[in-house]
Amino acid sequence: MPGLDGLTGALAALGNAAIWIAVALYDLVIWAVAALWWFLKWLPQRLLGLTDESLPVGPASARAFDYVQAGAQGFFDGLSALLQGLIDLILALLLRPPGENWFSGRRFVPHYEWWTETTHSLLVIAVFVALAWLLQRNWKVCLLVLIGFLFILDQGYWTQTAESLTLVLTSCLVCMGIGVPIGIFLAHRPKLYAWVSPVLDLMQTLPTFVYLIPAIVFFGLGMVPGLIATVIFVVPAPIRLTYLGISRTPEPLLEAVQSFGGTRRQVLWKVELPSAIPQIMAGLNQTIMLSLSMVVIAALVGAKGLGVPVVRALNTVDTARGFESGMVIVVVAIILDRMLRVKGKS
């Protein structure tokens, strides 16, 4: 099974990566000493105008990428196989009913004549409507979700929408899985957060097209590099909002729990996390919206989805297709935003 093969490859790659990281840290120390010595000699000459040599930011970055690619390519291959398996699984759930070759979709044959890919799309829409009711308890939101998906189905963009939703859902799993634990960790260490905050600013202010270059170098073309670029751009949002929610837990509540002998784990699970739920849900909402904003950019590195017709419309100056696919992206954004809108005070 491709998913199991991807998991096995990723686990094996993790072991090799641990060894490579130890070697890389040793090389980094040696390089840092040599780089510092070069900088101390170069700076006075540069300030006095004795040299025209500029600080080699670009060449150093290129050498760093070459070093990482040469040493950690096995890890990237394993990670790529794991993420591709997760993407294929979610995409199969959204597009195909049970049948032969269900996971890959090649030469797919459904097990039931009445349960075709067309009727399966209606079932997926019904699941989203039911999920909207569970989250919002509002029939107007459910009606909006139903009308939005029926509009997408009518326009003939269901397959592209499912591919974009796959990218969004996968990035949400990865970003929330990374962002929430890091946000909790930093909330208990404010001084460390002060050092990490500029890095988060850099991740969100650096042009997103820059992320596509290392993504292509390490992962090639396809959905995986689009996912990696999306995760790098989006993950600061859940980190910041989780940090905000945990750090703003009322002090009297914390003191009351601690005075009754509550452990750190009990304080986290029974006080801090329940208090931070609105901010964490806001982080999830932001993660989905930011991920959806990346679908067009991800299409430039071979990711499937709604970004593909937008890019084609741009290349051919096709106003009709561009407006049509753009409207579908807007409809998907509205649907997801209304489904996950946080109620009450955050």
Side-chain angles (χ1 to χ4, degrees):
M1 183 176 179
L4 183 59
D5 293 341
L7 178 61
T8 303
L11 292 176
L14 283 175
N16 295 329
I19 300 174
W20 177 82
I21 288 174
V23 176
L25 289 175
Y26 174 77
D27 291 341
L28 179 62
V29 171
I30 296 177
W31 173 85
V33 172
L36 179 61
W37 176 249
W38 177 88
F39 179 79
L40 293 176
K41 292 192 300 181
W42 167 85
L43 184 59
Q45 297 179 14
R46 184 63 170 169
L47 293 176
L48 295 174
L50 300 177
T51 178
D52 294 331
E53 185 180 6
S54 60
L55 198 65
V57 176
S61 301
R63 287 196 298 270
F65 281 122
D66 292 339
Y67 177 86
V68 173
Q69 184 182 20
Q73 192 59 51
F75 168 73
F76 291 129
D77 291 341
L79 180 61
S80 177
L82 178 62
L83 293 176
Q84 188 63 54
L86 180 60
I87 290 171
D88 291 341
L89 176 62
I90 296 176
L91 187 59
L93 289 172
L94 291 176
L95 285 181
R96 292 182 289 275
E100 297 179 8
N101 303 314
W102 172 79
F103 189 83
S104 65
R106 300 182 185 90
R107 298 181 180 179
F108 168 73
V109 179
H111 286 325
Y112 308 100
E113 293 183 1
W114 58 271
W115 194 353
T116 63
E117 293 174 88
T118 301
T119 55
H120 183 72
S121 62
L122 298 175
L123 177 61
V124 171
I125 292 174
V127 170
F128 273 96
V129 173
L131 183 60
W133 172 256
L134 290 175
L135 294 174
Q136 300 295 335
R137 299 290 181 177
N138 189 328
W139 67 268
K140 295 179 182 178
V141 175
C142 296
L143 182 61
L144 176 66
V145 172
L146 177 61
I147 293 175
F149 276 120
L150 289 179
F151 168 76
I152 293 170
L153 204 61
D154 173 72
Q155 294 297 304
Y157 280 89
W158 178 254
T159 300
Q160 293 91 333
T161 301
E163 291 167 345
S164 291
L165 284 174
T166 299
L167 182 62
V168 170
L169 293 175
T170 307
S171 65
C172 283
L173 290 174
V174 177
C175 289
M176 296 303 288
I178 296 173
V180 172
I182 292 178
I184 294 172
F185 179 80
L186 294 176
H188 295 128
R189 296 161 180 83
K191 292 183 179 179
L192 180 60
Y193 178 77
W195 288 90
V196 174
S197 184
V199 179
L200 300 179
D201 293 337
L202 178 66
M203 293 170 66
Q204 288 196 305
T205 56
L206 199 66
T208 51
F209 287 96
V210 176
Y211 298 138
L212 301 180
I213 300 173
I216 294 174
V217 170
F218 296 144
F219 299 98
L221 296 176
M223 293 286 279
V224 174
L227 173 63
I228 296 298
T230 301
V231 168
I232 296 174
F233 175 68
V234 174
V235 76
I239 292 176
R240 290 184 185 277
L241 286 166
T242 302
Y243 168 85
L244 181 66
I246 297 295
S247 62
R248 288 192 176 182
T249 304
E251 283 294 333
L253 188 59
L254 292 173
E255 292 173 359
V257 175
Q258 292 168 356
S259 66
F260 282 100
T263 63
R264 294 183 62 180
R265 180 176 298 180
Q266 290 173 329
V267 170
L268 174 63
W269 286 99
K270 296 185 178 181
V271 178
E272 291 179 331
L273 283 178
S275 176
I277 283 297
Q279 283 78 16
I280 294 175
M281 288 301 297
L284 176 60
N285 187 293
Q286 287 296 304
T287 298
I288 290 176
M289 293 299 105
L290 292 172
S291 299
L292 194 58
S293 70
M294 288 287 291
V295 296
V296 176
I297 297 175
L300 298 176
V301 293
K304 300 178 181 178
L306 293 169
V308 174
V310 174
V311 173
R312 289 176 179 173
L314 179 63
N315 292 333
T316 59
V317 198
D318 189 340
T319 306
R321 176 184 285 185
F323 186 80
E324 189 179 71
S325 53
M327 280 296 298
V328 172
I329 295 176
V330 171
V331 169
V332 173
I334 292 174
I335 289 173
L336 296 178
D337 177 68
R338 295 302 184 273
M339 285 179 61
L340 296 169
R341 177 164 292 185
V342 181
K343 295 180 179 179
K345 293 182 179 180
S346 58

